[in-house]
Amino acid sequence: MIINGVKIDPSFAEAFPMKATRVIITAQNLKWAHHSAQAMTGFATSVIACGCEAGIERELDPSETPDGRPGVAVLVFAMGGKGLAKQLETRAGQCVLTSPTSALFAGIHEGEALPLGKNLRFFGDGFQISKLINGRRYWRVPVMDGEFLTEETVGMIPAIGGGNFLVLAQSQPQALAACEAAIAAMEKIPNVIMPFPGGVVRSGSKVGSKYKGLNASTNEAFCPTLKGQTRTELSAEIESVMEIVIDGLSEEDIQKAMRAGISAACSLGAQNGISRISAGNYGGKLGPFHFHLQEIMA
């Protein structure tokens, strides 16, 4: 398969089951909603070392938020419910409760209930009060700028992490330009996040290492500086490879995001140094979700 001169490898991305939730952060204005959301989703690129994967899903108009203020939707993914609950509570307490004018609401109500403000309320030291509105409990916690309003619980649902594709280009600037175009297109797709910095990964990894105790190490088959030293997946003209990882609430969501991103990357074409699109997998032995590139782009 070739799109605009760019070869689409007969490969697939291998993804894994995760648990996910969505929270809505509102504030006096969008600037402060973003400050809180960016803090909450910091150091959340990979469950390998961060405990969760998180990112801003989209901005919300005041007409879309529970309190009628500007807001931001945040998606948080973890390998299990216990880990997700811990990450959510820690990040909400340190990054949303602390942020001026912020409020915190559930963006998912179905599924298993996780504590949101249920434990954060104790920061009020007995001065907190609750309100039950339309069957949902909210907590008003006194803070120095006024009140912190938070919903008591949020829903947790099954999700998928690790959808991905690789952009193989003739130079580093060309690979990055293609990835930037891909991310701009993928950010328009709901129910997904690309959790790495700017949505892009330059240090794609393989499972294991020659060093004891290291769970992941550099994917040498895709490192251009090692083409003469090891088994390589790269042809002579490829000098840079970058990866985009996608977490989503469903298989369909990840497929839509991959299709949008690959289409945008291919729009730059071979004339701009984009040679191939590939994907990372483990031979289909570890993750039950397989996203075949050519099927998605057919």
Side-chain angles (χ1 to χ4, degrees), residues 16-23 47 52-55 57 74-85 88 107-114 154-161 191-193 247-250 253-254:
F16 304 86
M18 299 186 82
K19 298 291 186 179
T21 191
R22 176 192 288 115
V23 296
V47 291
C52 73
E53 298 178 6
E57 178 188 12
V74 166
L75 291 173
V76 186
F77 296 75
M79 296 308 294
K82 185 176 180 181
L84 183 59
L88 183 63
I108 292 175
H109 293 98
E110 63 268 25
E112 182 181 341
L114 295 179
V154 63
M156 175 181 68
I157 61 174
I160 301 169
N191 303 327
V192 300
I193 58 166
D247 296 337
L249 300 186
S250 72
D253 294 325
I254 292 180

Side-chain angles (χ1 to χ4, degrees), residues 14 22 63 112 148 178 231 274 284 288:
E14 187 170 349
R22 176 192 288 115
S63 64
E112 182 181 341
F148 171 58
R231 181 188 65 82
I274 314 305

